[in-house]
Amino acid sequence: MDVNIKSTRKQIVGKIPVNCTLSRPPLLEQPKAQQKTGIIFKYVRGKYNTYQYFLLFRNNKIILISAMDFRTLENENHPPLSSTPTEVPLPKYPIWTIEYFQKYFDVTSEDVIERIKGALVPTYGVNYLQRYIRAKPDVYGPFWICLTLVFSIAISGNVANYIQVAADHDYHWKYNFHAVSSAATAIFLYAWLLPLMLWAFVKYKEPQFNLSYLELLCLYGYSLSIFVPISILWVIQINWLQWLLVAAGTLVSGYVIVFSIMPSLGQKPFAFIFLITILHLFMGTGFMLYFFHVPPIQKS
Amino acid sequence: MDFLNTNTGQNNFNNPNGGHTTVYIDDRPMNNVEGRMTVSGSLMQNIGDPGFNTLDEPIKTTIMRDLKAVGMKFKHVLYLKEKNTLLKEWDLWGPLMLCTFMAMVLQASPDSVQIGDGGPEFAEVFVIIWIGSVIITLNSKLLGGTISFFQSVCVLGYCLLPIVIALIVCRFILIFEQTNFLFFIRFAISIGSFLWSTYASVVFLGDSQPQGKKALAVYPIFLFYFIMSWLVLSHTV
């Protein structure tokens, strides 16, 4: 649980009258996954020597007090009536507010780095989805990884094009800004629309399919992160190296996707897996051929 | 219970299984910065006076006051000494000027369309800058940041200034016959302006993020200015 107690204390002291001390740091280890519980900590108010229990959620935003669950005591000898955090539902926000969508962005920097690392270097026998994503899928990662990939492909595609042209001194090189829009279309279609269609299709064929669209989106988004370094390496104009990188990229991200989804596919997963693999291969080779393997431009 | 407005009486207080009250505390940070819709007036000593009004002053005074306010903010982006002017009294005039200037300089020249100049259109630069800063701002709000929407857009726009300066310098360098050395100078200038812009906006916006999420909010800013300086470096015609 990585909440800074100092800042918490500051926030509370700002709201509550004098003579208050925070008696102890968080006393319970919380499972990282559960969003609905927070840290419980005790808050002693000096003047009347009463204390209350607070629930602090990870995002530092909501502090819930369930004072009535605990008896106010003169001394500390009696244990509190219940020391487990109460399950309190998060407040409901309507869909048009920012707060409604904040639950999809409730990750810390370490979470995101861990998830990217897991997708870049998959461990054999580890279900990526179960291990990293399932607890709390986020939208931050897929969105910014896709956007990074759009620009890394557009920029290094331009550099690759420059290198191809630079050998030919007659041609005046012009950069192609519009690679950005085609890369954006391709990548966002692949990472955002394909999971939706896949989810709908598998759900239709296998009603007991238990993954949500959000989880699939998160899986696809994070699995694309390997293509960011690869797209930079694609600049090197050596044919076999480019194809090797295609193979490596599709293998790693395909492995992450396929082995995460496979357990949920029921008895006959192979048709789906074949479909996923084909689409994935198509994506990897498509990127390389379209943006990096341009045939030499005609002299004008 | 004097500080909390609970609706449970004293009777339930000693009954362990009795009333269960949940109370929401408004725990927004006390130093929450807020924007104002005023026209950057605090530079004039007497704008807050009760008798002061801008109706009967010459237009020149009004425009000059706004221009001075914009100029002051430009100065703050370059010096990075004082944060409040840029944050408290946001305006979108400066970003509009910078953005229009960039879009005008960067747009592909129409006569080179036939031989395939691939530069962005005027509207594309314009849209990238505005949509980009809106997306970054939404991202920081979604992560739980405490800054107001237009403040953030304002800061991101004003922090384009180093990149605009780099664009002017690069434009000047492009007059001469291009060599590898001149390309290297343009490259260095673009990288320098990118770092400067990123650093400036992180200084202004960094404090508004919750613990452990700062890197998540800074990364989009980094990407945004990186793309803008890529456009500056790629601009060759």
Side-chain angles (χ1 to χ4, degrees):
Chain A
M1 200 47 97
D2 47 2
V3 175
N4 190 344
I5 284 305
K6 219 173 156 189
S7 74
T8 310
R9 177 195 223 160
K10 205 165 78 190
Q11 282 178 4
I12 291 174
V13 170
K15 281 285 171 191
I16 293 178
V18 287
N19 294 338
C20 297
T21 48
L22 194 62
S23 72
R24 336 181 215 175
L27 38 95
L28 294 172
E29 275 291 312
Q30 289 302 309
K32 222 175 176 185
Q34 284 178 8
Q35 198 180 352
K36 287 185 178 172
T37 56
I39 310 176
I40 187 163
F41 65 86
K42 201 171 80 174
Y43 195 79
V44 180
R45 304 183 57 219
K47 201 173 169 188
Y48 306 106
N49 209 15
T50 56
Y51 68 90
Q52 291 156 329
Y53 282 84
F54 284 69
L55 271 175
L56 168 71
F57 289 108
R58 269 185 82 201
N59 57 9
N60 255 351
K61 270 243 151 180
I62 309 133
I63 295 177
L64 268 155
I65 305 171
S66 53
M68 293 305 138
D69 280 347
F70 307 102
R71 194 180 292 156
T72 44
L73 295 169
E74 285 296 317
N75 53 11
E76 297 234 352
N77 295 335
H78 302 272
L81 294 173
S82 110
S83 61
T84 50
T86 334
E87 288 271 339
V88 197
L90 283 172
K92 291 259 188 292
Y93 294 103
I95 193 163
W96 59 83
T97 55
I98 293 253
E99 286 81 6
Y100 177 85
F101 292 96
Q102 272 177 354
K103 61 174 181 266
Y104 301 124
F105 285 74
D106 190 18
V107 277
T108 60
S109 314
E110 286 110 70
D111 292 342
V112 173
I113 291 170
E114 219 165 81
R115 287 173 182 194
I116 292 176
K117 262 193 213 156
L120 286 182
V121 192
T123 332
Y124 180 73
V126 170
N127 188 331
Y128 178 76
L129 191 68
Q130 290 291 346
R131 168 97 174 259
Y132 295 98
I133 306 286
R134 205 69 197 276
K136 203 202 275 171
D138 67 302
V139 180
Y140 179 92
F143 183 75
W144 289 107
I145 286 172
C146 287
L147 214 57
T148 311
L149 190 58
V150 166
F151 284 101
S152 77
I153 283 191
I155 292 176
S156 39
N158 267 302
V159 176
N161 185 264
Y162 176 77
I163 292 172
Q164 285 162 355
V165 170
D168 191 356
H169 290 289
D170 292 344
Y171 186 77
H172 179 60
W173 175 75
K174 304 261 172 65
Y175 80 114
N176 179 17
F177 175 78
H178 299 278
V180 171
S181 27
S182 35
T185 317
I187 290 164
F188 276 90
L189 278 184
Y190 183 76
W192 290 66
L193 197 64
L194 180 71
L196 182 65
M197 283 158 54
L198 190 73
W199 176 79
F201 180 66
V202 179
K203 194 85 185 163
Y204 169 72
K205 290 275 184 193
E206 294 271 344
Q208 75 270 32
F209 183 61
N210 61 351
L211 298 183
S212 67
Y213 167 60
L214 195 63
E215 283 162 344
L216 279 185
L217 165 70
C218 201
L219 179 65
Y220 266 81
Y222 276 106
S223 77
L224 278 182
S225 57
I226 183 117
F227 283 98
V228 175
I230 282 185
S231 70
I232 294 166
L233 289 176
W234 268 337
V235 167
I236 306 166
Q237 296 289 306
I238 304 171
N239 211 4
W240 61 265
L241 185 70
Q242 287 185 324
W243 285 109
L244 193 72
L245 287 170
V246 171
T250 41
L251 204 71
V252 169
S253 54
Y255 173 82
V256 167
I257 292 176
V258 165
F259 281 83
S260 301
I261 303 184
M262 201 151 74
S264 316
L265 286 176
Q267 295 302 311
K268 287 177 281 183
F270 295 105
F272 296 125
I273 286 174
F274 183 71
L275 181 75
I276 295 170
T277 318
I278 289 292
L279 286 170
H280 202 73
L281 276 175
F282 184 68
M283 189 263 317
T285 40
F287 281 164
M288 207 280 272
L289 289 177
Y290 186 76
F291 293 102
F292 293 91
H293 204 74
V294 219
I297 300 160
Q298 312 293 310
K299 283 179 202 174
S300 56
Chain B
M1 301 300 289
D2 51 342
F3 66 99
L4 293 169
N5 189 15
T6 56
N7 51 10
T8 343
Q10 191 65 30
N11 296 343
N12 286 334
F13 213 62
N14 298 321
N15 178 7
N17 300 320
H20 174 102
T21 317
T22 51
V23 183
Y24 297 96
I25 294 189
D26 177 20
D27 65 325
R28 282 174 297 175
M30 299 302 280
N31 53 353
N32 199 1
V33 275
E34 284 170 2
R36 279 198 281 141
M37 285 289 283
T38 55
V39 194
S40 328
S42 76
L43 291 171
M44 287 292 281
Q45 296 275 315
N46 51 355
I47 195 156
D49 292 351
F52 182 81
N53 79 56
T54 54
L55 278 179
D56 51 358
E57 70 180 10
I59 291 176
K60 194 180 152 220
T61 321
T62 314
I63 292 178
M64 283 315 285
R65 185 175 52 237
D66 288 352
L67 281 181
K68 261 186 208 156
V70 170
M72 279 303 281
K73 283 175 192 159
F74 281 159
K75 213 183 94 188
H76 288 310
V77 171
L78 296 182
Y79 278 128
L80 292 177
K81 281 280 191 294
E82 196 232 336
K83 286 162 56 170
N84 284 336
T85 317
L86 204 54
L87 283 175
K88 278 215 169 129
E89 299 179 4
W90 57 267
D91 68 72
L92 297 177
W93 287 114
L96 182 68
M97 285 180 201
L98 295 178
C99 164
T100 317
F101 179 79
M102 278 197 92
M104 252 165 23
V105 176
L106 286 177
Q107 68 175 325
S109 40
D111 55 336
S112 57
V113 168
Q114 278 81 17
I115 50 171
D117 175 83
E121 311 271 333
F122 182 88
E124 283 172 332
V125 181
F126 213 81
V127 163
I128 282 193
I129 292 176
W130 288 109
I131 302 281
S133 27
V134 166
I135 288 179
I136 292 170
T137 306
L138 276 181
N139 178 67
S140 89
K141 296 285 275 183
L142 286 168
L143 288 170
T146 52
I147 200 158
S148 91
F149 186 82
F150 283 108
Q151 270 174 332
S152 171
V153 174
C154 163
V155 169
L156 290 168
Y158 271 103
C159 288
L160 276 175
L161 184 65
I163 292 181
V164 170
I165 293 173
L167 178 63
I168 296 170
V169 177
C170 288
R171 194 57 256 185
F172 179 71
I173 292 175
L174 281 170
I175 295 172
F176 303 106
E177 180 70 26
Q178 290 306 293
T179 59
N180 281 343
F181 176 67
L182 284 184
F183 174 78
F184 177 75
I185 289 184
R186 286 199 298 131
F187 185 75
I189 289 171
S190 308
I191 294 285
S193 70
F194 154 64
L195 294 176
W196 192 349
S197 291
T198 313
Y199 177 71
S201 50
V202 169
V203 166
F204 287 120
L205 301 176
D207 296 340
S208 65
Q209 283 303 319
Q211 281 286 325
K213 289 185 168 188
K214 200 170 261 184
L216 298 184
V218 168
Y219 176 69
I221 299 176
F222 166 88
L223 191 66
F224 177 63
Y225 290 124
F226 185 77
I227 293 157
M228 294 323 294
S229 22
W230 170 60
L231 287 179
V232 168
L233 181 65
S234 306
H235 176 67
T236 46
V237 259

